[in-house]
Amino acid sequence: MVPRPLTPGPTEALLPTFYAGRDIFITGGTGFMGKVLLERLLSTCPEVGRIHLLMRDKKGQPPNKRLIQLKQSQVFDNVRANNPRQLEKLVVVCGDVSQPQLGLDNEAITALREVSVVFHSAATLKFDEPLPVAVEHNVRSVERIMEVCDKLPNIQAFVHVSTAYSNADLSVVEERVYPPARPLRQVYALVDSLPEELLATITPQFISPKPNTYTFTKSLAENVVQEHGNRGYPVAIFRPTVVVSSLRHPFPGWIENLNGPSGMVVAAGKGLLHVFAVRSAARTDLLPVDIAIDTLMAVAWEIAIDKPEQVRVYNCSTCENPTTWSNFKSSVRKHLHKNPLDKAFWYPCGFCVENKVALKTLEMILQTIPLHMAEYISKIIGIKSKLSLIKVNQRLTAMNEVLRFFSTREWYFQTDNVRHLKERLSPQDSAIYNLDPHSIVWNELMENFVKGARKYLLQEKDQDIQDAKKHLQKMFYVHYGMILSVMTLTFRFLLQNEFIKTFIWRTFKSLLSQFNITYSKITEIS
């Protein structure tokens, strides 16, 4: 299909006009951000061309079957209700980012000849991924897709989705590509030659000062994009911060993964997470997924219009309208009590600590010992469960370990390019696409975050909320009854020691004496 002219009429929005008639190629389209990107393209750009999705076999499911399942996702409820034929524009491209030339033959690449916009968001998001796996999926995949893009005759924009934390070793991050921690060829030589066991041992030192293999390889990927540069089509790097549930689109609170804060919300709501490594006063840069995706769509439009010779970087952040971990904790706790998750294992409560020794101590007392005891008691009395509480504890401990670097620090991301982009959009675009972090009301976002985790992530029904509240009330009495029992037993145990008993008695007498003296003076004055 031939794209429309770029100049809109006086009342037309720029972005829908730009995307009208254009074919788009997307990697990572079945992920959390990818699904919202598809939904926004289909719902806001009614005349968009075909959307080609790179998909591979996964868990025994071929790409065509996975596409059918994708179309049935809740994320497309509004599209199905308003214009279901839009979903017919989704086209499978059978391939794999881990294969040379994405696993595509010449015929498959020829089928992409009408593509004019490419979004590359496929990546492994595991912070603790083995270095060879992270390099394969996060670095070499970028080289492969850009090699394919070089063969597309009508391409006008390539956008690589990175992360704002690709330079997490810096406290202030500008909108530019920074030198890598290690030369790319050195990294390739290392992962291709060393045994896995030896490589795993030296990885923390090798990737330093990056905190994990995810940020290390994302930084390398940006350098791959920078080295490739503009070879006949403009290139951009898009860096979102911590992507969380949606502000408005496709629905308030839409969420579909357990990464980062959403995992914390679910684990805390189920009464499993009781201690988390956090610096309460630190800013946390939480970014609603629909703001991230609307900005991403606008980025492709801008570089296609401007045709910059150099790679342009866009930091997508909420630094202009920040919140803190303390506010996050208090808001989530409040809304978990108002909108409890079904069949919580315990009453949602806990501590946020920064000190590592305190963290490990509280983890042992409040999570490890209780969860192990519950697992063993369940087995002894014959209660069968699909959920292993011991594995849950291991995952919670691992989550604290990998997220601690990010939850005890704060960053400032310069966002000049994104702010200028927002200013360039027409009023008609601004009514459709939200690029403004000032539109976030944090308490409202957190409430919808909790509700969304319950409804979309855990698939819990609204009609069960009253049962969940009754169950939470029972857990409240059990929780505080347990605290009272422990305090009583501890006090009785302490009183067995004569020294402690004498100390408590003398302290009590001293306080009583001070009270009598104070009371006497007040009486005299009156």
Side-chain angles (χ1 to χ4, degrees):
M1 299 177 70
V2 179
R4 287 183 174 183
L6 295 176
T7 305
T11 61
E12 286 186 291
L14 298 169
L15 267 61
T17 302
F18 168 75
Y19 283 105
R22 291 186 183 275
D23 277 19
I24 300 170
F25 183 37
I26 297 175
T27 70
T30 59
F32 172 48
M33 289 182 65
K35 285 181 179 178
V36 179
L37 173 59
L38 295 177
E39 197 278 338
R40 293 297 282 159
L41 284 167
L42 294 175
S43 63
T44 68
C45 305
E47 297 182 51
V48 68
R50 291 171 299 175
I51 302 178
H52 304 263
L53 304 176
L54 186 73
M55 300 176 73
R56 60 183 172 88
D57 287 2
K58 189 174 183 180
K59 297 180 180 178
Q61 299 288 338
N64 287 326
K65 190 168 184 179
R66 291 183 63 201
L67 178 63
I68 294 173
Q69 294 173 341
L70 174 65
K71 290 180 178 180
Q72 294 170 348
S73 172
Q74 283 180 296
V75 75
F76 299 121
D77 281 355
N78 288 333
V79 175
R80 277 191 293 270
N82 299 320
N83 193 357
R85 295 190 63 181
Q86 284 289 85
L87 291 170
E88 297 174 8
K89 295 178 178 180
L90 302 182
V91 180
V92 164
V93 178
C94 298
D96 189 337
V97 294
S98 66
Q99 299 299 316
Q101 200 170 265
L102 306 180
L104 307 179
D105 56 23
N106 291 333
E107 184 179 349
I109 293 177
T110 301
L112 298 173
R113 63 186 178 277
E114 297 298 331
V115 166
S116 60
V117 179
V118 177
F119 295 104
H120 176 55
S121 65
T124 175
L125 305 179
K126 294 180 180 178
F127 286 178
D128 54 354
E129 194 81 85
L131 185 58
V133 178
V135 168
E136 188 67 39
H137 287 84
N138 293 351
V139 185
R140 284 178 162 145
S141 67
V142 178
E143 291 182 331
R144 293 172 185 134
I145 193 169
M146 298 197 84
E147 288 171 2
V148 170
C149 288
D150 291 343
K151 300 176 182 179
L152 302 181
N154 294 303
I155 184 170
Q156 295 185 23
F158 173 85
V159 185
H160 168 65
V161 179
S162 184
T163 171
Y165 300 96
S166 57
N167 300 286
D169 46 308
L170 305 174
S171 59
V172 177
V173 180
E174 300 175 7
E175 290 176 306
R176 64 183 179 90
V177 177
Y178 290 85
R182 297 282 182 174
L184 183 62
R185 301 306 158 195
Q186 182 184 5
V187 175
Y188 283 169
L190 196 75
V191 300
D192 290 340
S193 61
L194 288 188
E196 290 184 9
E197 296 80 6
L198 177 58
L199 186 57
T201 302
I202 68 170
T203 291
Q205 181 179 358
F206 181 73
I207 67 174
S208 180
K210 306 297 182 186
N212 51 53
T213 56
Y214 174 71
T215 56
F216 178 76
T217 52
K218 278 297 195 178
S219 174
L220 283 174
E222 290 187 2
N223 280 269
V224 169
V225 175
Q226 176 88 320
E227 288 180 14
H228 181 281
N230 184 330
R231 298 184 185 177
Y233 56 92
V235 175
I237 295 172
F238 177 69
R239 292 179 181 155
T241 52
V242 182
V243 181
V244 295
S245 63
S246 60
L247 187 66
R248 296 171 190 155
H249 305 290
F251 317 100
W254 166 261
I255 184 73
E256 205 187 47
N257 67 35
L258 283 168
N259 297 331
S262 56
M264 294 166 55
V265 168
V266 170
K270 289 293 185 181
L272 296 169
L273 180 67
H274 296 290
V275 56
F276 190 69
V278 158
R279 180 155 66 92
S280 295
R283 293 192 310 271
T284 174
D285 207 307
L286 305 179
L287 179 67
V289 63
D290 47 341
I291 291 183
I293 294 304
D294 286 357
T295 306
L296 177 62
M297 291 174 61
V299 164
W301 163 78
E302 183 173 61
I303 64 170
I305 298 299
D306 291 352
K307 298 179 174 57
E309 290 297 324
Q310 303 300 319
V311 174
R312 190 176 288 176
V313 180
Y314 295 82
N315 288 341
C316 193
S317 161
T318 57
C319 281
E320 298 175 34
N321 178 23
T323 189
T324 64
W325 282 111
S326 177
N327 290 337
F328 174 80
K329 172 193 169 185
S330 59
S331 294
V332 167
R333 176 182 290 178
K334 176 176 70 175
H335 294 301
L336 279 173
H337 292 168
K338 289 173 60 179
N339 305 278
L341 307 185
D342 291 351
K343 299 177 182 178
F345 290 88
W346 200 259
Y347 187 70
C349 61
F351 299 91
C352 291
V353 295
E354 184 176 358
N355 182 272
K356 192 170 184 178
V357 175
L359 172 69
K360 293 301 178 184
T361 302
L362 289 172
E363 275 184 336
M364 180 63 67
I365 296 171
L366 300 178
Q367 289 173 192
T368 302
I369 293 175
L371 289 175
H372 277 70
M373 287 179 62
E375 178 79 7
Y376 295 138
I377 292 171
S378 297
K379 289 182 178 179
I380 291 171
I381 63 179
I383 298 177
K384 294 182 180 180
S385 174
K386 295 180 181 179
L387 184 67
S388 169
L389 295 179
I390 292 177
K391 288 184 178 180
V392 167
N393 173 67
Q394 292 170 347
R395 290 176 181 175
L396 293 177
T397 302
M399 181 177 70
N400 260 331
E401 188 65 32
V402 299
L403 295 181
R404 184 173 179 273
F405 181 90
F406 301 95
S407 56
T408 58
R409 291 169 172 80
E410 61 182 16
W411 290 263
Y412 177 76
F413 301 101
Q414 294 185 2
T415 58
D416 292 346
N417 287 340
V418 170
R419 286 191 290 105
H420 293 156
L421 171 60
K422 177 168 65 73
E423 292 166 1
R424 290 183 68 176
L425 295 183
S426 68
Q428 292 78 16
D429 285 291
S430 297
I432 303 171
Y433 305 99
N434 182 12
L435 279 63
D436 187 4
H438 291 285
S439 64
I440 302 170
V441 179
W442 287 108
N443 183 62
E444 181 182 322
L445 178 69
M446 291 301 106
E447 180 178 11
N448 288 327
F449 194 175
V450 170
K451 289 180 177 179
R454 189 179 194 282
K455 182 175 182 179
Y456 303 115
L457 190 55
L458 300 177
Q459 299 291 306
E460 295 179 356
K461 295 179 171 55
D462 291 341
Q463 57 261 38
D464 296 333
I465 190 72
Q466 292 305 319
D467 290 338
K469 288 182 177 181
K470 290 177 183 178
H471 179 73
L472 187 70
Q473 189 69 23
K474 293 177 183 177
M475 289 295 102
F476 173 85
Y477 292 124
V478 171
H479 172 69
Y480 283 101
M482 178 69 74
I483 291 176
L484 182 61
S485 299
V486 170
M487 291 178 63
T488 302
L489 289 172
T490 302
F491 188 68
R492 289 190 62 182
F493 174 77
L494 291 174
L495 289 179
Q496 301 299 315
N497 186 290
E498 288 297 326
F499 174 78
I500 294 176
K501 184 189 295 186
T502 302
F503 175 77
I504 293 174
W505 175 242
R506 288 180 177 175
T507 301
F508 177 73
K509 287 179 64 177
S510 176
L511 291 173
L512 186 61
S513 175
Q514 289 295 325
F515 174 78
N516 288 332
I517 292 172
T518 303
Y519 181 76
S520 298
K521 289 183 178 180
I522 293 173
T523 304
E524 289 176 4
I525 292 172
S526 60

